[in-house]
Amino acid sequence: MKKFLILFTCLIPFAGICQDNLKLWYKQPAKVWTDALPLGNGRLGAMVFGRVKQELIQLNEATLWSGGPVRTNVNPDAYANLLLAREALFKDEDYAKAYNYAKNMQGYYSESYLPLGDLTITQDLKDTVPTAYYRDLNIRNAISTTRYTINGVTYTRQVIISAPSQVIVIHFTASKAGQLNFKLGAASLLKHSMVMLPGNQLAMKGKAPAHADPNYVDSANPITYDVTGCKGMRFQLQIKAVSKDGKISADTTGVNVKNATEATIFLSAATSFNGFDRCPVSEGKDESKIAGDYMKKASAQSWPTLLAAHYADYRHFFNRVSFKLATPADNSNASLPTDERLVAYTSGVKDPDLETLYFQYGRYLLISSSRTKGVPANLQGIWNKELRPPWSSNYTTNINTQMNYWPAEVANLSEMHVPLIDFIKNVAVTGRRTAKEFYHAKGWVLHHNSDIWALTNPVGDKGKGDPTWANWTMGSPWMSQHLWWHYQYTKDKKYLREVAYPLMKGAAQFCEDWLVPDKDGYLVTAPSVSPENAFFDDKGKKASVSIATTMDMSIIRDLFANVIAAANELGDDKAFRDTIIAKQAKLYPFHIGKKGNLQEWYKDWEDPEPHHRHVSHLFGLFPGNQISPVNTPELTAAAKKTLELRGDEGTGWSLAWKINFWARLLDGNHSYKMIKDLLRATAVSGTKYSGGGGSYINLFDAHPPFQIDGNFGGVSGMAEMLLQSQNNEINMLPALPDAWATGEISGLKARGNFEVSMRWKDMKLTSASVLAVVGGKCTIRTGAPIKVAGVTAGSKRTANGYVTTFNTQKGARYKISSII
Ligand code: FUC
């Protein structure tokens, strides 16, 4: 009884944070990078190791990439090869030939996201083995603490990355006066030099490489520098220590602090990046001035002042959502350090608090990695230690970049979606050139890789890439889904008219030109791939480049539906809308294969790898909404069969995608099974493509290696289990698993700009509230009839639960109670 009292007093009046236990904590320092704890303000990132004698804080700056603005017209042969590939596909059904022509259509690889450097704090300690040790990351306040006791002195280091002040701040204290003696040092894998600045400040001045080859490319000279041209931005890191009682000195080897009781360390960094289309050298920003200005302002403030501003800023976003689940009678797992807790959870111990922590951690990671204009979270968010990181730590747009942003709206972090939207504006500029130069097509195209320079060409170094990833062309229509979602959740018509619609229209114009008729008059894509899978053709030969994969057609169908809806919403552009309506009717349709599955390919071909991690042909189930149990039961059954044939195993993002799929199939228990798989402890550091997905002890998603998309896809999947809003209705608790029988969540967002809170007990919704941020019609689907306070409309029984529709007033909150 007491437990439920605690649980339920939280939600009144459905606002404010009540979730506790929002910490990752450990009894020992980080041994490896994925033990360290991530902090970020969306631009600056840090991985805090929590070491004793020599602390290591690995640093990142979101705009620090190799390379410079993209070159144009890099493959003048592309169009001729497109025509040849189409001839091979339509006339000869020769998939091997089409594959080779596709290779001839490639451009250059993307650039890489780079590490800024390492900060070391070397303490002058006689003993190095502490008698007490503790480190944590508190995600309610976005602060990391490391504490240890040596020779009777307790040392405490707290680290924040402030968004208001744009600096990293480390507050270091000793429990006995004058016991702090340490040296700050810095290193970087990039070319750099250390220089002194006035006031005992140290600066690292550096330059990024002109190019870094992807880690999967065998290369004799993978990192190159350009001394005179536009490739290779400048960067600067400034280091300063402030102490009331300590003595500070510095030279180019580091900053020394002697006999202090308390010291505050400031790190400020900036690059000369000045936009995707500007030379970062001659037209670059003054990184020295930017870093210097932030440093000057921040270091004049006290630790409590900096902390208060940081808390206020962070909590403004984080506190919007609270999520609690009833805990088992024996909830002792929740009090274990996070590494032990994860291992116990993996062995089957129940720990619902770990699941809600994981959900909130994903929200924390998005707030921490996605706040830089035009620079969305990349494959590793903003946390990368390597010069040649896995897959260049770039933007991989055949699933990964989009997955990063699946939770942005539903988890009430709409502002964090904006860096992606601004990035889409950039790729629409370069993508227009690529569409014209490569394919003689209108509109804009984006292939499967991009970078801070808004690269849009098919990668592969002109023929070295495998077309099954390099030649995937559906980036612009898929990205457009995010433009539309942002509108659906905000209902901001000005944004729709001025930003989203023109970009969506540009993607639709590309699709119009890219689609060609097949022999039956259907509009199809050719060449076409299903990332990154293959098939056995009619002759039993393994192939991957074909016609009209289900993913291509689903993405285009999604875009066309959204463009039509957007034009209707704006009451504008009728002629264009009508041409899209006409084309929509001719798109190659879904097919159900002989095994009862949703067909992945143009024909019902067999898979060489039936358990492949990509499940691209279910795009229409999620993130699309063309397949749903209510509207398309046959396709839904086929989608379910597909998932059963594919199996549950996968890399991190693949597991996360499957949480979302099963939620859309309304099978909460299967979604929950996938959550458990996503949260299983792993330490695999090498690359694994089949299986191996899970979580490291810092709860970073393991692809393996680390890739952040699974964290974000996991948050999205959990939200989809509790709330769906894709079909003009708010579906409350659509896929509740037995393991989450009793709980509450507040602050999720639904399309239509409704903020939703719900409370449920023994698998049944007991009460809810809907805040109508902008007003308008609201339709709610529930398992049992509901009553909406102050509203006369009753619930109508349907084949799939009850539907209640009522009009809302802008700003009003509607209280809902369950009738049963
Ligand atoms: C695609 C995926 C891989 C990985 C990489 C970043 O190539 O197939 O699994 O996620 O992107």
Side-chain angles (χ1 to χ4, degrees):
M1 184 61 202
K2 197 164 168 239
K3 185 170 65 202
F4 286 116
L5 271 181
I6 295 167
L7 181 66
F8 290 138
T9 44
C10 273
L11 256 191
I12 303 163
F14 287 108
I17 194 90
C18 63
Q19 191 178 343
D20 47 24
N21 195 25
L22 290 171
K23 266 184 200 166
L24 284 70
W25 71 279
Y26 309 83
K27 288 182 182 162
Q28 67 290 325
K31 284 199 188 80
V32 296
W33 191 81
T34 47
D35 298 346
L37 294 168
L39 291 169
N41 64 0
R43 185 177 70 88
L44 299 170
M47 292 292 284
V48 182
F49 282 64
R51 290 182 176 165
V52 174
K53 168 90 177 154
Q54 189 175 69
E55 169 63 317
L56 173 61
I57 301 183
Q58 187 265 313
L59 305 169
N60 284 104
E61 208 277 2
T63 64
L64 184 52
W65 287 66
S66 60
V70 290
R71 281 178 281 172
T72 55
N73 210 15
V74 293
N75 186 348
D77 301 332
Y79 184 65
N81 280 280
L82 169 65
L83 300 182
L84 291 169
R86 285 184 175 159
E87 192 178 299
L89 289 167
F90 289 113
K91 225 172 108 218
D92 313 330
E93 288 190 37
D94 190 333
Y95 304 107
K97 247 194 197 168
Y99 180 93
N100 288 328
Y101 290 131
K103 280 189 154 194
N104 296 339
M105 293 158 62
Q106 294 170 356
Y108 294 113
Y109 285 118
S110 81
E111 291 303 337
S112 297
Y113 177 55
L114 301 169
L116 172 65
D118 289 339
L119 178 86
T120 49
I121 309 176
T122 311
Q123 230 180 314
D124 191 3
L125 291 169
K126 280 185 209 82
D127 252 325
T128 52
V129 184
T131 50
Y133 179 91
Y134 171 88
R135 73 178 167 110
D136 78 12
L137 171 65
N138 178 332
I139 62 164
R140 185 191 285 221
N141 293 324
I143 185 166
S144 169
T145 301
T146 306
R147 196 168 47 233
Y148 45 90
T149 306
I150 291 183
N151 283 333
V153 183
T154 299
Y155 298 95
T156 308
R157 275 193 306 264
Q158 293 200 288
V159 191
I160 58 167
I161 307 191
S162 164
S165 297
Q166 288 296 317
V167 287
I168 301 175
V169 192
I170 306 161
H171 188 238
F172 201 177
T173 60
S175 62
K176 286 192 185 150
Q179 292 297 309
L180 276 184
N181 289 290
F182 63 88
K183 177 171 183 168
L184 302 169
S188 177
L189 296 172
L190 310 183
K191 271 197 179 154
H192 70 277
S193 59
M194 303 300 297
V195 294
M196 292 300 304
L197 299 178
N200 281 326
Q201 275 189 65
L202 188 60
M204 174 193 280
K205 294 187 174 183
K207 186 167 166 68
H211 178 69
D213 264 333
N215 68 320
Y216 50 83
V217 168
D218 256 340
S219 170
N221 193 16
I223 306 288
T224 52
Y225 279 88
D226 165 21
V227 189
T228 50
C230 277
K231 292 201 178 282
M233 59 178 76
R234 299 181 302 268
F235 66 90
Q236 187 164 139
L237 167 70
Q238 297 186 1
I239 305 167
K240 180 177 181 163
V242 175
S243 173
K244 277 192 197 120
D245 58 348
K247 190 173 166 319
I248 296 170
S249 62
D251 59 34
T252 52
T253 67
V255 177
N256 293 292
V257 177
K258 291 246 175 305
N259 305 326
T261 316
E262 182 187 8
T264 308
I265 300 155
F266 294 87
L267 305 180
S268 182
T271 73
S272 65
F273 176 71
N274 194 16
F276 73 99
D277 52 356
R278 302 258 183 92
C279 174
V281 181
S282 59
E283 300 173 292
K285 285 192 175 167
D286 185 346
E287 72 287 356
S288 169
K289 180 167 165 26
I290 298 169
D293 287 350
Y294 288 141
M295 177 62 96
K296 206 166 149 208
K297 256 185 133 175
S299 60
Q301 293 177 52
S302 71
W303 170 245
T305 308
L306 288 158
L307 207 54
H310 169 65
Y311 285 167
D313 167 79
Y314 174 73
R315 288 174 183 161
H316 169 67
F317 301 109
F318 186 76
N319 285 5
R320 290 172 183 171
V321 176
S322 168
F323 181 19
K324 285 206 85 170
L325 294 168
T327 47
D330 175 9
N331 196 29
S332 49
N333 209 50
S335 50
L336 291 175
T338 307
D339 47 345
E340 294 172 33
R341 187 178 182 182
L342 195 65
V343 170
Y345 178 84
T346 308
S347 75
V349 176
K350 289 199 173 31
D351 190 349
D353 281 351
L354 181 65
E355 292 154 4
T356 55
L357 171 69
Y358 187 83
F359 176 86
Q360 292 289 33
Y361 185 56
R363 293 185 66 246
Y364 164 82
L365 291 173
L366 195 63
I367 301 168
S368 306
S369 63
S370 187
R371 293 179 76 175
T372 302
K373 192 173 158 54
V375 188
N378 61 52
L379 283 174
Q380 299 187 184
I382 52 169
W383 299 280
N384 165 39
K385 68 173 188 322
E386 289 169 78
L387 206 47
R388 293 180 75 197
W391 299 285
S392 308
S393 195
N394 68 8
Y395 299 115
T396 305
T397 57
N398 66 12
I399 175 66
N400 318 89
T401 302
Q402 291 91 336
M403 185 178 278
N404 282 1
Y405 287 91
W406 286 351
E409 300 289 344
V410 69
N412 212 335
L413 297 172
S414 192
E415 295 90 336
M416 279 70 215
H417 212 170
V418 176
L420 179 73
I421 291 163
D422 286 327
F423 172 74
I424 297 173
K425 291 180 196 164
N426 299 347
V427 284
V429 173
T430 59
R432 198 167 278 278
R433 287 202 303 258
T434 303
K436 197 165 167 229
E437 286 163 8
F438 278 67
Y439 307 134
H440 297 186
K442 292 191 301 294
W444 63 281
V445 65
L446 167 66
H447 296 83
H448 106 298
N449 269 184
S450 191
D451 54 23
I452 200 166
W453 311 108
L455 180 100
T456 47
N457 65 229
V459 295
D461 217 1
K462 297 181 99 177
K464 297 193 195 113
D466 187 333
T468 186
W469 37 268
N471 290 77
W472 180 83
T473 45
M474 290 291 109
S476 64
W478 192 344
M479 283 292 180
S480 296
Q481 187 182 56
H482 285 261
L483 299 168
W484 177 238
W485 282 0
H486 189 64
Y487 169 71
Q488 286 185 303
Y489 279 91
T490 60
K491 286 279 165 183
D492 179 348
K493 272 239 168 89
K494 187 169 182 289
Y495 153 80
L496 180 63
R497 186 179 300 281
E498 291 172 11
V499 178
Y501 185 72
L503 293 167
M504 290 165 70
K505 183 174 175 179
Q509 286 169 325
F510 169 72
C511 294
E512 270 191 296
D513 279 5
W514 183 248
L515 287 163
V516 284
D518 73 354
K519 57 182 185 325
D520 301 317
Y522 283 118
L523 289 178
V524 297
T525 52
S528 174
V529 295
S530 191
E532 306 177 6
N533 205 4
F535 58 87
F536 288 120
D537 70 10
D538 294 341
K539 295 174 198 123
K541 280 211 313 225
K542 192 173 159 187
S544 57
V545 175
S546 64
I547 296 168
T549 59
T550 301
M551 183 193 231
D552 276 11
M553 302 317 298
S554 304
I555 293 178
I556 294 177
R557 208 175 286 118
D558 187 83
L559 171 70
F560 282 6
N562 296 343
V563 165
I564 294 163
N568 287 339
E569 199 87 353
L570 293 169
D572 219 350
D573 214 7
K574 196 168 169 303
F576 183 72
R577 183 201 63 180
D578 291 346
T579 60
I580 295 297
I581 291 174
K583 298 228 151 130
Q584 189 187 34
K586 290 189 180 164
L587 293 175
Y588 189 67
F590 287 118
H591 287 83
I592 295 178
K594 54 184 174 295
K595 293 178 186 152
N597 57 316
L598 193 77
Q599 213 170 284
E600 181 165 2
W601 311 97
Y602 188 61
K603 296 189 185 178
D604 196 5
W605 288 314
E606 293 287 333
D607 292 316
E609 217 187 303
H611 300 138
H612 197 276
R613 65 194 178 286
H614 285 265
V615 200
S616 309
H617 42 320
L618 294 195
F619 178 95
L621 180 65
F622 190 88
N625 62 343
Q626 297 149 47
I627 301 175
S628 78
V630 174
N631 298 330
T632 58
E634 281 174 21
L635 291 176
T636 305
K640 183 164 182 243
K641 189 75 199 168
T642 296
L643 280 178
E644 285 164 1
L645 292 171
R646 222 41 158 208
D648 289 341
E649 199 40 77
T651 55
W653 59 256
S654 174
L655 301 175
W657 201 350
K658 288 168 188 161
I659 303 172
N660 292 271
F661 284 142
W662 285 106
R664 285 285 171 96
L665 292 173
L666 311 181
D667 187 340
N669 285 336
H670 208 125
S671 286
Y672 184 71
K673 197 235 163 215
M674 301 313 308
I675 291 175
K676 287 206 293 186
D677 288 352
L678 185 64
L679 266 162
R680 68 191 164 203
T682 182
V684 180
S685 56
T687 304
K688 254 184 115 175
Y689 282 103
S690 57
S695 296
Y696 296 108
I697 67 162
N698 65 359
L699 302 187
F700 263 176
D701 168 59
H703 173 286
F706 163 55
Q707 204 168 284
I708 207 161
D709 39 21
N711 286 97
F712 295 134
V715 177
S716 160
M718 287 177 169
E720 286 286 324
M721 291 158 74
L722 300 172
L723 182 80
Q724 294 180 20
S725 65
Q726 68 277 12
N727 290 320
N728 299 316
E729 59 180 33
I730 300 174
N731 194 343
M732 292 188 173
L733 306 182
L736 196 62
D738 296 333
W740 291 359
T742 299
E744 59 183 41
I745 191 156
S746 65
L748 288 183
K749 288 301 281 284
R751 289 172 180 82
N753 205 346
F754 295 108
E755 194 177 289
V756 179
S757 298
M758 295 174 292
R759 185 189 292 170
W760 62 96
K761 187 168 184 263
D762 299 333
M763 302 297 286
K764 291 197 181 84
L765 184 76
T766 51
S767 60
S769 86
V770 172
L771 171 66
V773 179
V774 295
K777 193 172 114 185
C778 179
T779 298
I780 299 178
R781 186 179 292 274
T782 45
I786 54 168
K787 225 172 111 62
V788 184
V791 167
T792 46
S795 301
K796 287 204 186 79
R797 195 192 176 125
T798 73
N800 298 279
Y802 290 80
V803 171
T804 314
T805 301
F806 55 102
N807 276 319
T808 63
Q809 299 299 318
K810 183 177 160 113
R813 187 182 289 276
Y814 295 83
K815 292 209 166 134
I816 292 162
S817 48
S818 186
I819 287 176
I820 294 177

